[in-house]
Amino acid sequence: MTIDSTMSERPLTITSLFRHGTSVHGQSSVATLGDGPVRRSDFTQVAEGAKRLAAALQRLGIRRGDVVGTLAWNNQEHLEAYLAVPSMGAVLHTLNLRLSPDQLTFVINHGGDRVILVDASVAPLLAAVLPRCPAVEHVVVIGEGEAGALGEAARYNELVSAEEPRFAWPELDERAAASMCYTSGTTGDPKGVVYSHRSVFLHSLAAWGQLELRNDDRLLAIVPMFHVNAWGLPYTGWMVGIDFVMPDRFLQPASLVRTIEEEGVTYSVGVPTVWNAILRHTDAHPSDLSSLRRVVVGGAAVPRTLMEAFRERHGLEIVQAWGMTETSPLGAVALPPKGVGSEEEWEYRSMTGRIVPGVELRIADDKGEVLPWDGKSAGEIEVRGPWVTAAYHRDPAPDRFHDGWLRTGDAGTVDHRGFVRITDRVKDVIKSGGEWISSVELENQLMAHPGVAEAAVIGVPDQRWDERPLACVVLKEAAPVTPEELSAFLAERVPRLWLPERWSFIDKIPKTSVDKFDKKALRARYAEGSLVVNELARAER
Ligand code: AMP
């Protein structure tokens, strides 16, 4: 005899998260930085704003399944759109405001955006591409600033204040599309990932548990709301009833540090380059980061030295996390397992992370054979799960999937406890004389040198070894460091075969639209001969 579950199958929707936060955490706050004083609201007011926005969008003709784009910083209006658009059955498309005009045009058209909400400060960017986006029917400008060529467009405040704070949220299928993001991929056109209500709901619960967010946290999400839904934190935070501190466009280290101090921020998240810049700022200007209890850093490998420096200088715990647009993004979090000593604890913290429950992960070699979790066998990481994409929007891309698993493009190992160590992007691995050199490991070791501000390593063609590493290094101001010295420093930390002969000292590492090292740009600069390369004698092997 089979037994049927007696559980109700109420749909897992953003609307239900939205309702919960509104009814339970009405007094939690949302502060947004601006040119003038900090704007302050509570969840009750934000929920009213979201209802008015839904009514206004409906009046503009937005119906179920229509796509509403946002080109906006992290601010209250953006949070209102996060809540309103999916809850009314439409699809929120967060546009990356650092894309090139061509890429922005591509994602607006490919996503099928009908309305775009745009911050006044980036209105010129949208104005420049709009003539090439025929499906966009309405543009709504957020904020009071000048909107240049979009000066005639509707204003967010006027539009929403003309509506009542009432909206009859529809019953939605949990599998319905809720929001979409495009990958920030540096090769080819960006690829669209469409999240469902169900995937966002489940991801929010997982993120709550894995990131250990608490009701009394005050969150400064430095990661933009256009980068994988700010790692899901707007939804998780709303559900948990945290206080949001929204940096808007004020993302310079000095402003971020001042915000942490003045707003008593307890929790923050961002990519390593941002936290590296904050660290350097605090080294030069005495700062008080003592309100912070947790910082989660991910999006790129987090150098162990960065974590150690924050702990030593600020008593601050950095936790590394791994994920991607395709995984909503949470896939692994580096919380050390129980029962390990302090040195071992650091080993675990500096790994990429432990697989989060709900995500299945395996590694496959280049023939597609699945490899053991022994901490040594290296291959491409593949994942699947209820918040992992199983396709791309209007782009079959069969080469990105393997028997229903997403091929992440990340290479690494997994140990018997489910701790992942990413050694490289598959396409960044340096293949030298039949051996693999991890560019990420070389970068992390270089950035451990006290004179180095940032370092990125790329593979460059080599007659004898096929490929060899080229180390591109940004020195801290006035640090008189030579390639020989860095090579000697590395020699104590990595295999001899890995030691780069080629060195280039540059002013800054080019960054992608989400602030990661842009190795494609570095490769292009090398190929066109615009990097000054210093070549050391080849080390004996
Ligand atoms: P995105 O879709 O822009 O978030 O990029 C996802 C990619 O960022 C992943 O596939 C990884 O290559 C990289 N990434 C994210 N987190 C980490 C991490 N903790 N360590 C190393 N690489 C990471």
Side-chain angles (χ1 to χ4, degrees), residues 49 76 81 118 160-161 178 242 244 254 368 373-374 411 449 461 470-471 476 478 492 516 537:
Q76 180 180 332
V118 58
V160 297
S161 53
I242 62 162
F244 287 97
W373 286 15
D374 57 9
H449 188 282
L470 161 67
K476 287 186 184 156
E492 291 173 16
K516 305 185 192 186

Side-chain angles (χ1 to χ4, degrees), residues 184 227-228 298-301 320-325 352 408 410 425 516:
S184 52
H227 187 204
V228 211
Q320 172 158 205
W322 169 84
M324 51 198 306
T325 307
T352 305
T408 63
D410 286 330
R425 291 293 293 164
K516 305 185 192 186

Side-chain angles (χ1 to χ4, degrees), residues 285-333:
H285 307 88
S287 316
D288 179 8
L289 300 185
S290 60
S291 61
L292 281 171
R293 73 170 182 90
R294 167 77 55 96
V295 170
V296 175
V297 183
V302 185
R304 175 169 171 164
T305 44
L306 184 73
M307 294 193 260
E308 285 171 340
F310 270 106
R311 183 182 265 195
E312 276 159 25
R313 291 174 224 169
H314 298 286
L316 178 60
E317 189 188 348
I318 284 192
V319 172
Q320 172 158 205
W322 169 84
M324 51 198 306
T325 307
E326 290 88 334
T327 64
S328 295
L330 208 57
V333 180

Side-chain angles (χ1 to χ4, degrees), residues 60-88:
L60 292 179
I62 290 298
R63 301 283 176 266
R64 275 195 199 199
D66 286 342
V67 181
V68 176
T70 54
L71 191 65
W73 303 103
N74 293 13
N75 52 33
Q76 180 180 332
E77 291 82 358
H78 211 168
L79 181 60
E80 290 172 359
Y82 259 62
L83 298 168
V85 174
S87 300
M88 68 186 291

